[in-house]
Amino acid sequence: MSNDIHPFTIDIPQADLDDLRERLARTRWPDELDGAGWPYGVPVSYARQLAAYWRDGYDWREHEAALNAFPQFTTEIDGQNVHFLHVRSPEPDALPLLVTHGWPGSVVEFMNVIGPLTDPRAHGGDPADAFHVVAPSIPGFGFSGPTVERGWDLNRVARAWKELMHRLGYERYGAQGGDSGATISPQLGRIDPERVVGVHVNGGLGFPSGDPAEFEGLSEAELARLGAYTNQDGAGYAMLQSTRPHTLAYGLHDSPAGQLAWIAEKFKEWTDPAHDLPEDAVDRDQLLTNISLYWLTGTAGSSARLYKESAASWGRPVEPSTVPHGVAVFPGDPGVRRIAEREHKVIHWSEFGRGGHFAAMEAPDLLVGDVRAFFRLVR
């Protein structure tokens, strides 16, 4: 295995973009029941409208150039190609910070937070809050995909991140993440506690144990958040991805409309519930850049495999962490402090009235402010 790090530039062949437009134009749309709406899944009228814009209005090259404005690299870790953004701060005393996305996200999520995190002086902030940002693509996702062997679960990803930060020469650093990143980042703290100064997550941290005492004295808001752990209405995607990801991949890999609907549904369900449509909560072009990354890299199946590989560990107790943790809870997220504190050393807790699961896209100002506030405690 080589430890070499190679510069990387995104350059999607024009033939792939032409193929995407042609496939979208030939979409075979399904029927739907009158008035069924979102409870039955993504409405055909909505999918048609979004697909039409993806085909005729969205400009991948514009957003490819915006992504390429961030320095990018690849390296091989544990037999797997790993792609990452590495944006160093102009501030010499900046703290290295590894940020991790989840599914159905990607490094595209971080496009609006990298600037304020790396150069707070240029964004009206305190230069003492600066970070050197490392944003890897999880193996199996985007330009880190596909995975080439079994076993790439969340714990293995954390081990790869430990090696990545060592390879970059960072002996002291922080970790941040949402969705799968909210599991990978705490695990990174457990396996590298002498170098990880703190872990910040947005969303839930830990799972209910099932002990009735855990529910005693909780507020109505906390009880409602706990319901997110047991609500099966929107969990079908997880059951499919954690059991038969390859069967699912035939449709998503071959149909851009299928890939579009599969991801857009999660943005409808997981973004700020105050908004009716995904593009009311996040920028439509950023949403489509994220979806395009899955399509253009052919990683629908390999990204879903993260669920298959990790399902055995879901909800299992983990070793208590001694690393300081900070948690930012946005509307719709399942975070409850009592549960988080069972296995984590929580020293910072924030709850926000706007934003949602994709906080870096929905409320970048709030997320950046909370990350800064937490790491002031541990720098």
Side-chain angles (χ1 to χ4, degrees):
M1 180 183 72
S2 170
N3 290 343
D4 293 345
I5 295 174
H6 306 282
F8 179 82
T9 301
I10 303 171
D11 185 16
I12 298 298
Q14 185 59 42
D16 291 353
L17 301 179
D18 295 340
D19 176 69
L20 169 60
R21 292 190 180 95
E22 290 168 5
R23 286 172 181 263
L24 286 169
R26 296 196 312 270
T27 299
R28 186 171 179 238
W29 297 103
D31 75 295
E32 63 180 343
L33 298 174
D34 289 342
W38 285 92
Y40 277 72
V42 179
V44 173
S45 59
Y46 177 78
R48 279 181 175 274
Q49 173 268 321
L50 192 57
Y53 177 75
W54 194 14
R55 184 185 69 236
D56 299 323
Y58 172 79
D59 183 357
W60 164 261
R61 292 300 184 200
E62 174 187 345
H63 301 287
E64 180 182 74
L67 280 167
N68 281 331
F70 301 113
Q72 298 173 63
F73 304 87
T74 60
T75 190
E76 182 183 325
I77 299 177
D78 194 13
Q80 175 65 37
N81 176 66
V82 173
H83 162 263
F84 61 99
L85 313 184
H86 185 197
V87 187
R88 290 188 57 85
S89 171
E91 306 296 338
D93 296 327
L95 176 70
L97 179 67
L98 188 148
V99 296
T100 305
H101 64 85
W103 184 93
S106 67
V107 294
V108 170
E109 290 183 62
F110 305 124
M111 294 178 72
N112 294 331
V113 300
I114 290 175
L117 288 173
T118 57
D119 194 1
R121 188 193 303 267
H123 292 81
D126 185 344
D129 289 326
F131 299 93
H132 302 304
V133 172
V134 179
S137 298
I138 294 174
F141 289 68
F143 296 106
S144 285
T147 44
V148 295
E149 62 182 6
R150 297 179 183 179
W152 275 101
D153 61 5
L154 297 171
N155 292 330
R156 189 171 177 182
V157 175
R159 295 194 297 272
W161 285 185
K162 175 183 177 181
E163 170 60 24
L164 176 61
M165 294 305 275
H166 174 74
R167 198 170 293 184
L168 292 174
Y170 291 137
E171 295 303 319
R172 187 174 182 273
Y173 63 95
Q176 199 284 328
D179 195 86
S180 298
T183 300
I184 294 167
S185 299
Q187 184 60 14
L188 178 57
R190 287 185 179 89
I191 65 175
D192 203 10
E194 285 155 14
R195 295 196 298 163
V196 176
V197 301
V199 174
H200 181 280
V201 303
N202 52 286
L205 184 62
F207 293 86
S209 66
D211 182 353
E214 205 163 49
F215 295 80
E216 294 177 3
L218 293 180
S219 69
E220 288 187 15
E222 289 173 323
L223 288 171
R225 288 188 210 134
L226 280 178
Y229 288 106
T230 57
N231 179 15
Q232 296 299 309
D233 183 61
Y237 83 97
M239 295 302 295
L240 281 171
Q241 295 193 163
S242 63
T243 56
R244 299 295 186 270
H246 287 178
T247 305
L248 172 68
Y250 287 99
L252 303 186
H253 189 82
D254 189 58
S255 168
Q259 180 72 91
L260 178 77
W262 193 247
I263 292 179
E265 181 189 80
K266 296 302 120 187
F267 274 80
K268 159 65 176 175
E269 292 183 345
W270 296 348
T271 49
D272 190 332
H275 297 297
D276 292 330
L277 295 174
E279 61 265 35
D280 297 334
V282 301
D283 179 78
R284 180 171 60 172
D285 275 21
Q286 192 179 16
L287 169 61
L288 287 172
T289 301
N290 179 68
I291 295 172
S292 296
L293 197 61
Y294 280 82
W295 175 261
L296 296 170
T297 58
T299 50
S302 61
S303 61
R305 284 198 293 266
L306 182 66
Y307 281 66
K308 175 72 170 178
E309 302 288 359
S310 304
S313 66
W314 290 352
R316 288 189 176 180
V318 294
E319 175 187 350
S321 176
T322 60
V323 173
H325 283 65
V327 181
V329 181
F330 291 87
D333 281 335
V336 175
R337 184 162 189 166
R338 181 186 299 175
I339 291 173
E341 289 180 331
R342 193 178 66 238
E343 298 168 338
H344 307 86
K345 182 181 177 182
V346 178
I347 66 169
H348 173 88
W349 186 273
S350 300
E351 298 180 11
F352 296 100
R354 65 177 172 90
H357 187 73
F358 303 94
M361 299 172 72
E362 297 181 68
D365 58 328
L366 297 182
L367 181 63
V368 167
D370 205 66
V371 169
R372 290 172 176 171
F374 167 68
F375 280 100
R376 286 181 200 131
L377 304 175
V378 298
R379 280 180 181 265

